[in-house]
Amino acid sequence: MAEEDQDELPSGRLPPWCNADELTEIQGDSIEVAIAEHSVGTAALGAVCAAAFERIGAALPDYQMRDAQVQMAQQILRSFYRERNAVIEAATGVGKSFAYVVASLAYNYLTGERVLIATETKALQWQLFEKDLPFIRRALDPDLRFELCLGSANYFCRLRYEQMINEGSFRDLIEEDKLAEVRAWAGEVMTDFARSGSRFEDTPKIPESVWRLVTRDSDGCPANRCPHYGNCNYYRERKKWSDAQLLVANHHLLLFHLLNDKHTLPEYGAVVIDEAHGLIRTGYSIFTASFARNDFADLKKGIDKLLISHTGIQGELKQEIEEVTAACLTRWETFFSRWEVETDMVFQNSGTALIRANIADTPEINAPLIELAERYDSLKTEDTEASLLGTINAQLKQIRKMAAFAGMYSKFDSQGIVYWAEKRDDRFLLQACRLNLGETLADLMPELRLYTSATIGYWPFADFPSRKSDLIQRGFFNRFLGDALPLAEEGSVDCNIFFSPFNYREHAALYAPEHLLIPEHGSPPHVQAEYFDRLAEEIAALTSVSGGGALVLFTSNYNLQQIAERLVTMTDLEVISQLEDGVQDSLARFRRNKEAILLGSQSFWQGIDVAGDGLRLLIITKLLFTPPDDPIFKARSEILEAKGKRPFFDLSLPHASTMLRQAFGRLIRTERDKGVIALLDSRIWQKTYGKTLIANLPRVQVLRTFAELERANDKFGLLKYSQD
Ligand code: SF4
């Protein structure tokens, strides 16, 4: 590090779980001086992590020190300390959360830099905040300061709550007794400053529509112009974030922060992105701008209401706003009508229509929307009262978003933006998404990043080398690096793999029969019906061997429904359907009954955790490929084709592999778990890519017949369960 930069570093200090004399001996020089000079050596960095895990072992009676976990922490700390990015695949059982938490905390102590951890799922975010970090605090550092960061729409907003009560907008949405619960909760979070006021903290069960009325609206919040700003739950939480050593956020919030001028989160020196295989997907959903034909009419109603109810808004400005709003409405609706006619033929059987070229005679709406935004902005004065200011801000942001969206259409950059139309619940929508996500993120992300997941890599061949150096050198991480770090120079990222310590050979088997043929797309109804009959029979036979404890994964709600109807007539076991009970309730029912069959669609493929013998049979009815009519997938495929690549092998297959590996990960959660994964899609044998998909799975026995399955079950007790 250059000498002149050293003063700018926040000061580092010895981590509280370390012994200075021991580290000095390892360093061969004073450890305090090395920390001050940012010159701690590799051996001393390794010792810092090892000492942390020894303390953790002493504090946790069942804890078994795992080499892979310690090595992973050491690798992360080394990379961060040397100012390098890292990409690490850590299989289930390595204990990656503790590994990156220990490394992050050590890095924070040694450099003074805050570290932000971002997960894809709220479940993992919550587990880190509620379970893992409190434990680390007890074991390593009683003064550790960490905070949970949620998007602002998750926090109680007093201004909006009072508006809802005063205007009575809760009527028709909520019963009196539920409203009383909301009042009681609001009373508590307004007065008890220890409460964050977040939706995840002991809150009443109320409809989503009511939550939206009492939580912060980022577009409308007037911040320090609000009378409740001083005691605002959200801003109080944000102050705490600025004082924390570690922050626990999620991908959505991190990406929102990065793509919106970095105003939301406090500064941090390094970021850990867990469940990183989902980052790009979340990124594209945030990058997508989407509007419906009636959105401007809805906005106009709000503008009209504001102009009528606030008598202070008068004269020329009021008249100008009314005129420009009316002009925008006409153009907006004509714009949507033109596109609806233009895309009508393209929809055919699909709900989406890719737009490949602009149409000549669409009205210009970008300029009038910008004009409206300028007029609207001048409604705000020094004296504007807070609730009015909030409404103006919210409407102004919506106008600006519409103008930005219209701008994407008027410049029509078919190389850099994908455009499509969608019909959803009788609504016609136009959408646009920029395709330079990887480059944008590379530009906005902090210098130091760790990307980690149990399924971050992809091996594109049918043979799987056992040496990890072969895997890394021959491109195990290439696909992820291309997506997430497209500008990284070769060799500039530390890549590593930590294999699972689980004994998959004896604890799990892949049953993949060859006889179930999936009908071709567009097959006649009777062919499809026969397929569903056979599939239901196979599921009934498998679940009778396992006695339930089965999660059955589908690629569509339609297929799930077809099997649900048939299966209830074929088994006495309890059949739980996600379509009837929703994700959380169906999962809770499944956890209560070890002899149940749970039918789940795409939200069950990842992030579901049922440890122990409650889940011993995982049935995958069909491989999960990205739907070919997905517009972003199509556009990215075309870009790959233009570069001479094969989109199926470079995009579609890696995604299917990740989803298969994620689903597999639901089955074996601890070293004691056992079970069978039944893959009822015979393409795994018919297609050449089947071997690649199997090569990417953990090393398990592969069984092709029911008889083989029964023998393996007898020998290893894969489907056994206890009755308690
Ligand atoms: S400052 Fe914003 S979030 Fe806080 S109470 Fe006021 S309007 Fe709501």
Side-chain angles (χ1 to χ4, degrees):
M1 172 162 302
E3 215 168 273
E4 61 272 21
D5 291 342
Q6 288 181 11
D7 289 346
E8 293 167 18
L9 275 177
S11 55
R13 60 201 160 113
L14 189 72
W17 62 87
C18 293
N19 180 305
D21 293 339
E22 283 172 16
L23 283 183
T24 293
E25 200 179 322
I26 294 167
Q27 174 76 13
D29 207 345
S30 159
I31 191 68
E32 280 90 357
V33 172
I35 291 172
E37 292 178 347
H38 196 86
S39 61
V40 180
T42 302
L45 292 175
V48 168
C49 293
F53 283 104
E54 271 166 31
R55 280 275 200 103
I56 290 170
L60 199 62
D62 290 340
Y63 178 77
Q64 277 184 321
M65 176 101 79
R66 300 174 205 158
D67 288 348
Q69 188 177 47
V70 180
Q71 287 162 11
M72 180 174 167
Q74 291 169 329
Q75 160 83 74
I76 298 165
L77 181 57
R78 255 192 335 264
S79 297
F80 279 176
Y81 201 73
R82 290 180 188 156
E83 303 187 347
R84 286 171 64 86
N85 291 319
V87 175
I88 296 180
E89 174 160 309
T92 314
V94 167
K96 69 174 165 14
S97 313
F98 270 21
Y100 62 64
V101 165
V102 163
S104 300
L105 188 55
Y107 180 71
N108 168 264
Y109 269 102
L110 293 172
T111 64
E113 295 277 11
R114 186 185 354 259
V115 180
L116 180 121
I117 299 167
T119 66
E120 183 183 25
T121 56
K122 291 230 168 84
L124 179 57
Q125 186 187 11
W126 199 242
Q127 181 198 305
L128 283 164
F129 180 70
E130 280 276 277
K131 219 169 125 215
D132 296 350
L133 282 164
F135 170 76
I136 291 287
R137 176 155 56 193
R138 285 197 301 280
L140 294 184
D141 178 6
D143 298 322
L144 169 62
R145 301 181 310 281
F146 59 89
E147 293 295 338
L148 180 74
C149 306
L150 299 167
S152 71
N154 291 293
Y155 293 93
F156 173 75
C157 167
R158 183 168 177 175
L159 191 72
R160 301 192 74 223
Y161 166 75
E162 288 178 353
Q163 253 170 10
M164 178 189 84
I165 297 293
N166 294 339
E167 293 173 7
S169 49
F170 55 84
R171 287 189 204 105
D172 303 334
L173 299 177
I174 189 170
E175 307 285 328
E176 271 303 318
D177 54 338
K178 280 283 166 199
L179 182 66
E181 284 182 40
V182 176
R183 284 181 192 272
W185 174 71
E188 283 168 26
V189 298
M190 282 191 284
T191 50
D192 181 354
F193 287 3
R195 301 277 300 266
S196 72
S198 98
R199 288 184 52 174
F200 295 91
E201 191 195 71
D202 199 14
T203 52
K205 277 203 161 191
I206 53 172
E208 198 53 43
S209 51
V210 178
W211 274 122
R212 280 200 288 272
L213 294 178
V214 298
T215 47
R216 184 174 184 266
D217 169 16
S218 61
D219 290 348
C221 169
N224 58 4
R225 301 271 305 270
C226 169
H228 307 304
Y229 179 70
N231 287 325
C232 168
N233 292 77
Y234 172 65
Y235 284 101
R236 224 167 43 218
E237 284 301 296
R238 277 187 46 167
K239 258 191 211 139
K240 289 198 231 158
W241 300 353
S242 305
D243 190 40
Q245 295 162 273
L246 302 182
L247 296 173
V248 187
N250 53 57
H251 293 183
H252 200 278
L253 179 59
L254 172 65
L255 293 173
F256 178 85
H257 165 75
L258 294 175
L259 297 170
N260 287 279
D261 302 328
K262 304 188 183 180
H263 284 326
T264 311
L265 296 164
E267 282 196 7
Y268 46 87
V271 62
V272 171
I273 298 167
D274 196 358
E275 300 175 318
H277 61 273
L279 182 76
I280 297 298
R281 187 179 48 231
T282 308
Y284 277 118
S285 78
I286 292 179
F287 251 35
T288 301
S290 171
F291 283 98
R293 175 209 291 274
N294 57 349
D295 282 341
F296 198 88
D298 289 346
L299 174 70
K300 184 173 179 299
K301 275 186 210 152
I303 293 175
D304 291 346
K305 189 175 162 198
L306 183 127
L307 294 179
I308 291 166
S309 57
H310 289 276
T311 47
I313 305 171
Q314 287 298 338
E316 208 176 310
L317 180 58
K318 182 182 179 199
Q319 196 184 340
E320 280 172 4
I321 290 174
E322 284 170 342
E323 284 170 9
V324 184
T325 306
C328 284
L329 176 65
T330 309
R331 290 188 184 210
W332 182 271
E333 301 220 322
T334 313
F335 178 83
F336 272 76
S337 296
R338 286 287 298 112
W339 276 113
E340 191 161 7
V341 171
E342 187 69 22
T343 52
D344 196 41
M345 292 297 291
V346 190
F347 277 111
Q348 294 170 351
N349 295 328
S350 160
T352 57
L354 205 60
I355 295 171
R356 295 182 181 280
N358 206 352
I359 39 178
D361 54 349
T362 50
E364 165 61 34
I365 49 172
N366 187 28
L369 282 166
I370 291 172
E371 192 186 336
L372 177 59
E374 280 166 10
R375 298 276 195 290
Y376 223 68
D377 199 28
S378 46
L379 284 176
K380 296 193 280 183
T381 67
E382 286 287 298
D383 309 321
T384 309
E385 171 251 329
S387 67
L388 174 60
L389 188 61
T391 311
I392 294 173
N393 277 341
Q395 291 172 343
L396 187 56
K397 278 210 180 165
Q398 178 75 342
I399 297 166
R400 287 187 175 138
K401 281 182 196 164
M402 288 173 160
F405 165 79
M408 286 165 95
Y409 266 83
S410 54
K411 83 173 182 187
F412 210 87
D413 167 17
S414 61
Q415 297 301 307
I417 299 176
V418 54
Y419 303 87
W420 71 100
E422 201 167 323
K423 281 187 179 165
R424 207 187 294 158
D425 305 328
D426 287 338
R427 291 196 327 146
F428 176 75
L429 297 112
L430 285 172
Q431 324 216 31
C433 177
R434 279 180 284 144
L435 290 168
N436 61 341
L437 178 67
E439 289 81 355
T440 307
L441 289 184
D443 204 32
L444 294 172
M445 281 274 190
E447 289 289 303
L448 293 185
R449 288 161 262 168
L450 162 70
Y451 298 91
T452 187
S453 159
T455 58
I456 206 167
Y458 170 68
W459 183 244
F461 308 109
D463 63 311
F464 196 86
S466 52
R467 288 219 323 252
K468 70 173 161 185
S469 55
D470 288 345
L471 276 166
I472 295 169
Q473 279 158 19
R474 288 174 57 198
F476 188 63
F477 292 109
N478 281 2
R479 192 187 61 90
F480 183 82
L481 291 171
D483 275 352
L485 289 151
L487 307 178
E489 285 173 24
E490 203 172 332
S492 67
V493 179
D494 293 333
C495 295
N496 211 337
I497 306 166
F498 294 96
F499 296 118
S500 176
F502 296 163
N503 179 0
Y504 281 109
R505 281 230 156 259
E506 294 187 6
H507 282 228
L510 172 68
Y511 166 62
E514 296 174 54
H515 57 268
L516 264 172
L517 301 181
I518 292 179
E520 295 284 325
H521 183 66
S523 298
H526 74 274
V527 174
Q528 304 223 18
E530 279 169 25
Y531 161 70
F532 287 127
D533 289 344
R534 285 201 306 279
L535 181 60
E537 284 163 12
E538 186 83 24
I539 293 169
L542 284 165
T543 50
S544 84
V545 176
S546 69
L551 170 61
V552 190
L553 295 175
F554 294 86
T555 54
S556 74
N557 290 349
Y558 176 78
N559 289 10
L560 189 159
Q561 188 58 33
Q562 292 298 313
I563 296 303
E565 286 165 10
R566 288 163 170 82
L567 198 58
V568 286
T569 67
M570 296 177 178
T571 179
D572 293 331
L573 298 166
E574 182 185 11
V575 177
I576 304 165
S577 163
Q578 175 202 338
L579 298 182
E580 282 174 20
D581 294 278
V583 174
Q584 292 310 328
D585 287 351
S586 58
L587 195 56
R589 273 180 69 190
F590 183 65
R591 285 195 175 116
R592 283 197 297 271
N593 181 4
K594 277 188 179 179
E595 296 177 345
I597 304 168
L598 172 57
L599 310 182
S601 196
Q602 293 197 19
S603 39
F604 278 85
W605 283 68
Q606 49 184 340
I608 301 294
D609 200 350
V610 184
D613 56 13
L615 174 59
R616 51 197 176 273
L617 173 62
L618 180 87
I619 301 177
I620 294 174
T621 52
K622 198 174 171 187
L623 293 166
L624 183 55
F625 287 101
T626 311
D629 60 352
D630 178 297
I632 295 173
F633 171 76
K634 257 190 186 174
R636 293 180 72 199
S637 297
E638 285 170 13
I639 291 172
L640 287 173
E641 259 166 358
K643 289 180 183 165
K645 296 192 173 175
R646 297 177 301 169
F648 178 78
F649 292 98
D650 290 320
L651 200 58
S652 196
L653 197 56
H655 174 257
S657 170
T658 301
M659 296 315 292
L660 186 59
R661 296 176 74 203
Q662 277 291 323
F664 197 104
R666 302 307 102 219
L667 187 65
I668 307 291
R669 309 296 300 159
T670 72
E671 60 197 359
R672 286 186 295 277
D673 289 355
K674 289 188 173 184
V676 170
I677 180 168
L679 177 55
L680 306 183
D681 186 333
S682 56
R683 287 177 295 180
I684 202 89
W685 300 120
Q686 293 158 359
K687 305 284 183 186
T688 47
Y689 61 72
K691 286 190 178 138
T692 304
L693 292 176
I694 292 177
N696 276 276
L697 292 174
R699 309 288 77 157
V700 291
Q701 313 166 61
V702 180
L703 316 167
R704 291 188 181 217
T705 66
F706 211 82
E708 285 177 356
L709 170 63
E710 287 179 315
R711 276 199 296 280
N713 185 33
D714 287 345
K715 185 169 177 192
F716 297 108
L718 300 174
L719 296 170
K720 276 203 186 122
Y721 65 104
S722 67
Q723 299 284 351
D724 46 79

